[in-house]
Amino acid sequence: MSPDAAPRPVRVVLVGVVAPTRTALEIPVAALVARGAEVLALLHTLPEARVLTGLGLHGHRRLVLTRSSRPAAPTRSPVRRLLDAGTYRALRLLDLRSSAGVRAFRAARRDPQSRAVLRDADVLVALDRVAVYPVWRFARAGRRPAFYGIPAALRHLDAAAPARRHEARARRTTGREARQEVSG
Amino acid sequence: MPAQDWLRAVDDDRTRTAALRQAPLLVDRLRRDGRQAEAVDVVDRALRHARGSDLLARLGGQQALLALDLVDTSAGSTSADGPNSTGAERVDRATILAAARTLADAADRALAVGRAAAAADHLLQALHVLLHRSLHTLDTPSPLSHKGSGWLDPVIRSAAYTRLHQRTQAAEGAPAPVDRPRVLLVTDGNAHFLGEVERGLVGAGARVTRLDLTGPRADGLVPAPVVLARARLGDPAAGAAVDASAAAPEVAALLREADVVVVDWCTAAAVWASLVVPPGARLVVRLHSVEAFSVEPHLVDWSRVDDVVLVGGQLESLVRHVVPALAPARTRRGGPLVHVVPNPVALDGPPPDGHASRAERPDAARTVAVVGWAQPVKDPLWALEVLDELRRHDPRWRLLLVGADYADPQLPPGRRYRAEVLRRIAAAGDAVIRTGWTADLPEVLRDAGYVLSSSRRESHGVAFCEAVTAGCLPVARDWPDVAEFGGAGEVFPAEWVVRSPQEAAARVLALAAEPDDVRTRTAAQAAGLVRARYGSAAVLPRLLDVLVPPARTGADGARPGTRPHLVYVAIGFPPAAKSSAYRMRATANLFVDRGWDVTVVTIDRHAWDLEYGLDLSLLDLVDPRVRIVELPLRRADLDPDVRGYSWFRARHPARWVRLRHRLDTIPFPEKVFGPWRRALERGTEAVVRDRPADLLLVSPAPYTTLAVARHVRRRTGTPYVVDFRDGWSVDVLGAGEAFGTRTRRGRWERRVLAGAEAVCTVNEPIAQFYRDRYPELASRVHVARNGFDADLGTDLAVARRPDPAAGLAFGYLGTVNLTPAHLSLVVDAWVAARQRDEVLARSTLTFRGHVGAGWAAGANGNAAVIARAGVHGVTYGGPVAKADVAATYGRWDALLLALAGGRFVTSGKVYEYMATGLPVLSAHEMPHAAQDVLEGYPLWVRPPALTAEALRDGFVETARRALSASEADRAAARDHAGRFERSLQLDPVVAMLDDRFGRRNPLQHTQDVPPPATPAAARPTPAGVSR
């Protein structure tokens, strides 16, 4: 990274299994964004588009708790089709015997894009009680801060802000002065 | 030996050994003389030839110190980090840590073989390396500013450091209190903050002597830090030198005769005092901010110090984090008492009436002042960045730098910083004005409308506070060196605090955009707040309580020991942002007004972050004489840190909660709070044993505090009163009993109430419920209603007039604790009313207050109802600080009083609503306890039933009343509210308790209890703040 490159914003991933309301997200997400965070949402039940539009989210993805019986890209290979069907049935059986939290965790783990979002997260936030379990599992795996509810995440960002601010400021100062040296 | 001679000597085989032995001393001398370049030559050459780990460690440490001294190119001297070095941040911190570790290892080795002097030298040098000024005062973040940095670990984990702070045998008990104590004020030259203290002490009857250890009387008397460090590690020669210094005729008599020795600033003077003050005298040390980043606090023998005074909560956190001997875990088991008392500031002249009265000059509206700017720690570069931001909006903005000009710093990094500041000032041209030092600050500040605190760290900024009281509008940077420890938010209201130059400029511009009268009012409120918090009148009594507790007399002439003492168990006391906080605040203040000393027992304020949060503006409204003891308790069920959850809690959250609630009720039959019983009992008992109480007042909920009342009564004989507020066995929402008399809860309630001297409730229906349930208690049940707070300094009367063309603004202020069905009904009625009435069609309905708590803040079912109605002009605006309540009402034309429950629920908001003089629409069940209060309010709209149609018509009627109400109608409405002012409601009960339990008329209490507790012979467990 060049000395004056801005530090990567803190990436906060909100995980929800119960559909949130706009009020539940509007003020807290704005507060997260105001603190310079990049906010992504991973929601089981995607609320109506108008709920998420204009919130300032940097992205959202649906968390499919049960794998669809119709694969997005059907294959012609009979072996592959057989394997897909078997996997689906096994997962379905597992899911039937599991709680929503466990299913949400499995769904996130088997979806590469969700996995990538969670892997790159700096802070994980469970929006509801059911989402605590997947967040707990991913937080333990990645050793990153994880909270139940956005207010606690905001407090965490506030507490961590001075360190990040100073790092950024030190880099900026260095860069500016280095340029002054070069330009004479 | 000159450096050149030394260099020749070290090259000569015959003299090399002797030269190497002299090298560290020579380097120290060269550094002291500011000849760092020569010192670098000596160190480099010495390192080339040196053998032996001790010498190598010592030279390595000196090399690190020189690198930190020289890390700059602007002075033309050697750079430690190449030509583009910009500050201490470019010195490799790992190298510094390694040098310190090597020195600490050398200290341990020396100590292991009994060489205490060498161990002390190494340890001291390691501390000097880690606490070098370049690392902690220039424009880089101090490594100590991060809690997790472990910057001092290499030293504080060493055996030598541990030996330094081994607990010594404390003197037996505290010195006996005396009348007119002799107080010795010791300084190391800086008496800047002592003037007010000295005046206060003299006023309190103390005989005060000052001892300036740099003055002509005692200059050179205190041994050098290295000697003090050696003495601390037990070196006999150093010990003898220290003893000799104390026996010197200049100070021996002063030390011998003093009852209390107060050392201002934790410098070498404090280290010396901790070694020489005789056991019969109390030793008090006051730390400001700079010492937290210096060596001396690590050398003081804290086991000899009786009390430590820190000048800000954020500094307390920092110091207790940085200095292990003052960490709570250590002091809790003995050691000094730690107090937080700000620097008293002489602000007690006539209060300014905003800018108008001080006749500010024309350019003041676009001028920001920084007072006392010319030091790196004040970070004037940051202020200049704020100016740049402001000038981007309007080039007419100016920066007024008040105070003495920059002195030439000793070290190159400081010189570089100064040069940069002066360059930026020159580049800014007329936009920056330097006034120089002034004795008449208010006069100079007539040129400024705003004052900025740009410092890296502060206590509370005495000069800043002086400027605020002079009428400037405050903008305070969240001081970065202490931001992780609470920062400026710990001492000022949150709205004053900014985190970046952009935020600072935004606040200034927002204030500038306000109308003149608003700015004037804001400035006056800020000045009032500063006076209340930091004025001598508020602070000095607290400080004197610490310095000379037995000799001080109260404002009413009574000695503290003769004033009645109330211990008030009030979980929810300010700064908790809870509705109960207002009643608790008023109760405590009323007792203080009647001459009581009040100690409030509550829980750690940060525990409220997990619930409804904090409202620090409430603390300003608490009488400064009220002492608050915070017990380290918090709700485990609201812990938001998912990583700390067990598998069971994460996997089965609902089952975990159910199980937890069952377990909670084992100590006391109340879920969530039951486990607090033992800690509350012990904490409150310790407070009472520290100073016997004349009365214990408990204010449930939580009802676990009932167990506390009984426990303290049984152990100490203190009579108690229960301020029940809503009651326990009454189901205020369901209008029946919550549990029977034979249940476990029922038995507890009966037992506790039977021993209570009085029981208070908030309305007559609840009082009657208790009279019926416990007929034998009937005469002891009293009603102490809630009310609105008229002593907040803000008038709730709304001056706004409705504008039918723009539509009306309906408002709801308070916790939205209705059921979602109830709220839906209200919202549906609102929607229907908008369709029926054309003015309402243009109107808005705003909810302010808490919606949901903890993780569900702003995210529960009620939030969903409000969100769905967004298209119909219904909005949610978040919680409101108490200080902003009047402004919030001021933006509305009519109020919605939606309440849960029925005949047992009064609510607190109804009183406040009436005090505004606005039309109030009731949206609650009938009959309802609020009716008794509203009866006779001329602008009350009372729908006949709680149905959508009735409410719809109610909204229409309320709109009509809002538009038609005359000034006389509103005045009549406010007159009706006048009798519900809170102190009028509470005062009769407080007066009754004062009569019965105050010292003027002591009551014979129940005979079957032990006599009141007496103070423990040994030094009591602290009840002030923290050990």
Side-chain angles (χ1 to χ4, degrees):
Chain A
M1 185 190 286
S2 67
D4 53 348
R8 182 173 80 85
V10 178
R11 188 166 295 163
V12 179
V13 175
L14 313 176
V15 183
V17 180
V18 180
T21 62
R22 187 175 178 86
T23 304
L25 290 177
E26 193 168 23
I27 296 175
V29 168
L32 286 171
V33 172
R35 283 161 175 78
E38 186 179 302
V39 188
L40 297 105
L42 210 58
L43 305 171
H44 161 48
T45 315
L46 271 184
E48 305 159 52
R50 71 177 174 82
V51 173
L52 294 183
T53 310
L55 278 182
L57 288 174
H58 295 83
H60 57 265
R61 177 155 181 82
R62 185 167 181 201
L63 201 60
V64 184
L65 256 58
T66 303
R67 197 171 172 183
S68 164
S69 57
R70 187 175 297 171
T75 172
R76 289 186 176 179
S77 157
V79 177
R80 184 78 195 179
R81 280 214 299 272
L82 201 64
L83 273 175
D84 276 351
T87 313
Y88 168 72
R89 280 171 190 280
L91 288 172
R92 179 85 183 165
L93 204 63
L94 267 177
D95 280 356
L96 281 175
R97 297 172 61 83
S98 305
S99 67
V102 174
R103 282 154 62 205
F105 168 65
R106 285 207 197 104
R109 193 171 55 175
R110 68 176 170 248
D111 173 25
Q113 291 191 42
S114 300
R115 223 165 42 224
V117 165
L118 289 163
R119 191 184 54 229
D120 293 343
D122 298 310
V123 179
L124 293 171
V125 178
L127 290 178
D128 52 66
R129 202 157 64 175
V130 185
V132 166
Y133 182 69
V135 164
W136 180 75
R137 289 288 300 260
F138 282 109
R140 282 166 64 92
R143 294 180 184 281
R144 73 202 84 183
F147 301 100
Y148 182 16
I150 299 179
L154 288 170
R155 285 197 298 275
H156 168 77
L157 291 185
D158 287 341
R164 289 199 309 278
R165 205 163 52 237
H166 283 300
E167 278 167 24
R169 184 153 172 257
R171 285 199 197 98
R172 270 203 312 276
T173 311
T174 307
R176 187 170 62 236
E177 297 202 356
R179 278 197 301 278
Q180 285 169 357
E181 289 285 334
V182 170
S183 64
Chain B
M1 181 191 288
Q4 291 308 320
D5 293 352
W6 185 89
L7 289 170
R8 272 195 295 278
V10 84
D11 284 339
D12 187 334
D13 290 346
R14 288 167 301 172
T15 52
R16 180 174 301 139
T17 307
L20 285 173
R21 206 175 298 136
Q22 290 172 359
L25 292 175
L26 176 61
V27 173
D28 279 346
R29 185 164 55 78
L30 291 170
R31 275 192 71 218
R32 263 202 312 275
D33 295 346
R35 292 153 64 192
Q36 273 85 356
E38 291 172 61
V40 168
D41 287 345
V42 172
V43 166
D44 286 349
R45 191 73 67 84
L47 278 170
R48 223 177 290 159
H49 297 289
R51 299 286 180 274
S53 52
D54 263 20
L55 184 58
L56 283 169
R58 189 85 192 274
L59 291 168
Q62 288 183 320
Q63 194 179 35
L65 287 169
L66 286 164
L68 289 164
D69 284 352
L70 291 174
V71 59
D72 190 275
T73 55
S74 58
S77 39
T78 311
S79 165
D81 204 49
N84 288 335
S85 173
T86 57
E89 78 273 20
R90 300 298 301 272
V91 178
D92 184 1
R93 288 185 173 178
T95 309
I96 295 168
L97 284 171
R101 200 168 290 122
T102 308
L103 283 162
D105 290 346
D108 287 355
R109 281 196 304 275
L111 199 64
V113 295
R115 295 170 55 218
D121 292 356
H122 290 312
L123 194 68
L124 189 62
Q125 195 176 25
L127 284 167
H128 277 302
V129 168
L130 293 178
L131 294 165
H132 192 280
R133 206 184 306 170
S134 292
L135 289 163
H136 303 284
T137 57
L138 290 171
D139 59 342
T140 54
S142 160
L144 295 181
S145 63
H146 306 309
K147 281 185 179 172
S149 71
W151 182 249
L152 295 179
D153 284 358
V155 170
I156 63 181
R157 289 185 179 170
S158 68
Y161 189 90
T162 308
R163 174 78 65 86
L164 199 65
H165 290 288
Q166 249 173 7
R167 207 181 295 282
T168 53
Q169 189 63 43
E172 286 295 318
V178 291
D179 279 335
R180 301 203 64 228
R182 281 161 298 207
V183 179
L184 181 63
L185 290 179
V186 182
T187 70
D188 227 352
N190 186 345
H192 185 61
F193 296 114
L194 271 186
E196 284 293 302
V197 179
E198 187 169 358
R199 275 191 287 280
L201 283 168
V202 171
R207 290 168 284 174
V208 183
T209 311
R210 265 203 209 192
L211 174 60
D212 182 356
L213 293 172
T214 58
R217 193 175 178 186
D219 195 15
L221 192 99
V222 174
V226 66
V227 178
L228 295 171
R230 287 176 179 183
R232 290 280 287 111
L233 273 183
D235 177 52
V242 172
D243 289 345
S245 69
E250 297 91 337
V251 298
L254 295 177
L255 288 173
R256 201 170 48 243
E257 290 167 4
D259 299 308
V260 184
V261 177
V262 180
V263 186
D264 201 24
W265 300 89
C266 189
T267 56
V271 186
W272 177 74
S274 73
L275 291 169
V276 302
V277 169
R282 282 179 65 237
L283 176 56
V284 184
V285 175
R286 186 161 68 151
L287 275 97
H288 299 261
S289 68
V290 68
E291 303 102 299
F293 302 85
S294 68
V295 169
E296 284 78 5
H298 299 275
L299 301 182
V300 172
D301 179 1
W302 290 109
S303 62
R304 173 59 194 90
V305 178
D306 295 278
D307 297 84
V308 181
V309 179
L310 292 143
V311 292
Q314 78 284 19
L315 295 172
E316 185 209 7
S317 306
L318 172 69
V319 168
R320 301 187 88 167
H321 183 73
V322 168
V323 183
L326 293 177
R330 182 84 182 256
T331 53
R332 213 174 286 132
R333 300 193 305 270
L337 294 175
V338 180
H339 311 263
V340 177
V341 186
N343 280 319
V345 190
L347 302 171
D348 301 325
D353 187 19
H355 276 196
S357 65
R358 65 186 186 114
E360 64 183 26
R361 298 197 175 95
D363 288 340
R366 282 191 187 75
T367 303
V368 179
V370 176
V371 187
W373 60 280
Q375 295 175 53
V377 76
K378 304 294 181 187
D379 208 355
L381 275 185
W382 198 86
L384 288 161
E385 285 184 37
V386 175
L387 177 67
D388 289 348
E389 288 293 328
L390 288 169
R391 285 169 65 81
R392 240 171 247 143
H393 289 82
D394 184 344
R396 288 174 296 174
W397 279 97
R398 303 183 311 162
L399 184 67
L400 185 71
L401 298 175
V402 185
D405 255 348
Y406 238 117
D408 199 13
Q410 291 174 349
L411 294 179
R415 286 200 286 270
R416 180 194 62 77
Y417 183 86
R418 173 178 178 266
E420 174 65 7
V421 170
L422 296 181
R423 187 189 69 73
R424 294 274 298 272
I425 288 175
D430 293 343
V432 177
I433 304 145
R434 287 189 282 179
T435 65
W437 185 86
T438 174
D440 189 359
L441 191 61
E443 174 59 25
V444 172
L445 289 175
R446 284 175 59 203
D447 278 324
Y450 310 85
V451 61
L452 177 68
S453 169
S454 58
S455 304
R456 291 163 52 102
R457 56 177 176 259
E458 283 288 1
S459 52
H460 52 82
V462 171
F464 177 75
C465 288
E466 286 171 349
V468 174
T469 50
C472 291
L473 288 158
V475 182
R477 179 188 190 183
D478 194 8
W479 307 311
D481 278 349
V482 289
E484 275 193 30
F485 299 90
E490 191 79 19
V491 288
F492 294 131
E495 63 268 23
W496 295 15
V497 181
V498 295
R499 291 176 177 75
S500 63
Q502 292 76 22
E503 268 188 53
R507 172 163 164 80
V508 171
L509 292 171
L511 287 167
E514 295 283 0
D516 283 349
D517 61 324
V518 173
R519 274 213 312 278
T520 305
R521 202 166 53 239
T522 309
Q525 281 171 355
L529 185 144
V530 166
R531 277 166 194 283
R533 255 188 218 183
Y534 305 114
S536 293
V539 174
L540 215 44
R542 290 167 59 196
L543 190 57
L544 296 180
D545 267 344
V546 177
L547 303 184
V548 285
R552 188 175 72 82
T553 53
D556 55 0
R559 292 266 300 265
T562 65
R563 291 157 62 97
H565 182 210
L566 171 76
V567 174
Y568 186 15
V569 183
I571 314 296
F573 197 79
K578 284 174 70 81
S579 52
S580 60
Y582 311 133
R583 181 181 178 93
M584 292 170 172
R585 175 199 76 89
T587 305
N589 284 358
L590 282 172
F591 270 101
V592 171
D593 291 345
R594 288 188 167 269
W596 287 62
D597 288 336
V598 177
T599 304
V600 170
V601 179
T602 180
I603 61 169
D604 175 15
R605 67 179 61 181
H606 296 294
W608 302 111
D609 277 336
L610 307 180
E611 218 171 309
Y612 286 118
L614 296 175
D615 181 355
L616 292 172
S617 69
L618 277 174
L619 267 189
D620 307 331
L621 311 170
V622 176
D623 191 297
R625 289 167 289 183
V626 173
R627 192 171 55 155
I628 302 174
V629 177
E630 295 182 1
L631 302 177
L633 291 167
R634 55 178 55 207
R635 285 181 63 173
D637 62 320
L638 294 181
D639 178 10
D641 187 354
V642 171
R643 281 181 305 178
Y645 289 7
S646 63
W647 170 86
F648 180 59
R649 183 174 184 179
R651 176 77 174 73
H652 301 288
R655 281 188 214 166
W656 182 87
V657 168
R658 280 199 299 275
L659 178 66
R660 171 95 206 180
H661 284 174
R662 281 183 172 233
L663 295 174
D664 286 345
T665 58
I666 292 173
F668 186 83
E670 184 183 23
K671 64 186 183 186
V672 177
F673 303 106
W676 289 7
R677 177 183 168 186
R678 193 53 55 86
L680 283 170
E681 286 177 349
R682 287 181 179 166
T684 311
E685 186 188 340
V687 169
V688 174
R689 289 204 179 278
D690 176 28
R691 181 172 166 204
D694 297 274
L695 182 65
L696 176 71
L697 176 60
V698 295
S699 183
Y703 301 102
T704 308
T705 52
L706 294 175
V708 176
R710 188 159 177 266
H711 171 86
V712 173
R713 161 86 166 220
R714 292 175 73 178
R715 300 293 289 268
T716 68
T718 310
Y720 64 85
V721 168
V722 178
D723 180 15
F724 238 144
R725 307 202 316 259
D726 283 345
W728 193 14
S729 54
V730 55
D731 179 2
V732 289
L733 297 179
E737 70 170 9
F739 49 81
T741 51
R742 295 187 166 199
T743 60
R744 192 170 162 222
R745 284 183 286 173
R747 293 197 304 274
W748 257 108
E749 186 180 74
R750 174 180 286 280
R751 223 162 26 214
V752 175
L753 295 192
E757 303 290 339
V759 178
C760 303
T761 66
V762 292
N763 58 35
E764 187 54 38
I766 297 177
Q768 193 55 48
F769 174 91
Y770 275 102
R771 289 185 195 116
D772 295 345
R773 188 178 173 98
Y774 307 110
E776 69 278 15
L777 301 181
S779 62
R780 283 184 260 167
V781 178
H782 305 271
V783 176
R785 282 184 183 279
N786 284 320
F788 69 92
D789 299 278
D791 57 340
L792 301 186
T794 51
D795 188 359
L796 290 173
V798 173
R800 172 188 161 105
R801 289 291 164 264
D803 175 8
L808 301 177
F810 278 68
Y812 173 100
L813 179 56
T815 305
V816 186
N817 54 4
L818 311 172
T819 61
H822 187 168
L823 185 62
S824 296
L825 185 74
V826 172
V827 169
D828 290 346
W830 167 258
V831 174
R834 276 165 63 96
Q835 288 163 357
R836 173 163 292 203
D837 187 285
E838 63 172 33
V839 175
L840 281 177
R842 297 189 289 273
S843 303
T844 56
L845 172 59
T846 304
F847 288 85
R848 298 296 305 267
H850 294 283
V851 178
W855 68 271
N860 63 3
N862 284 334
V865 173
I866 295 170
R868 278 198 296 272
V871 292
H872 301 293
V874 181
T875 56
Y876 170 62
V880 182
K882 189 70 175 172
D884 300 330
V885 162
T888 305
Y889 283 121
R891 289 191 278 272
W892 291 338
D893 301 308
L895 300 171
L896 169 69
L897 182 69
L899 298 173
R903 70 187 177 99
F904 289 124
V905 178
T906 313
S907 98
K909 66 174 89 65
V910 63
Y911 304 103
E912 216 169 72
Y913 273 27
M914 292 193 302
T916 63
L918 292 176
V920 175
L921 168 64
S922 275
H924 47 71
E925 293 287 357
M926 303 285 178
H928 196 284
Q931 273 178 266
D932 301 340
V933 181
L934 282 162
E935 206 69 63
Y937 185 72
L939 296 177
W940 181 29
V941 178
R942 175 187 174 182
L946 188 61
T947 61
E949 294 73 26
L951 277 180
R952 178 199 62 199
D953 296 342
F955 274 116
V956 175
E957 172 63 12
T958 309
R960 192 188 63 74
R961 299 280 281 276
L963 292 170
S964 63
S966 65
E967 201 50 53
D969 294 336
R970 288 192 177 199
R974 286 195 295 271
D975 280 349
H976 173 83
R979 61 196 166 100
F980 294 108
E981 197 274 309
R982 194 187 294 273
S983 64
L984 294 179
Q985 299 297 320
L986 289 179
D987 201 44
V989 176
V990 173
M992 180 269 290
L993 295 176
D994 182 34
D995 283 346
R996 289 182 61 190
F997 301 101
R999 296 281 168 84
R1000 289 175 295 283
N1001 181 19
L1003 180 81
Q1004 291 297 314
H1005 303 309
T1006 318
Q1007 298 300 311
D1008 59 348
V1009 293
T1014 50
R1019 195 154 178 235
T1021 310
V1025 229
S1026 29
R1027 247 207 157 138

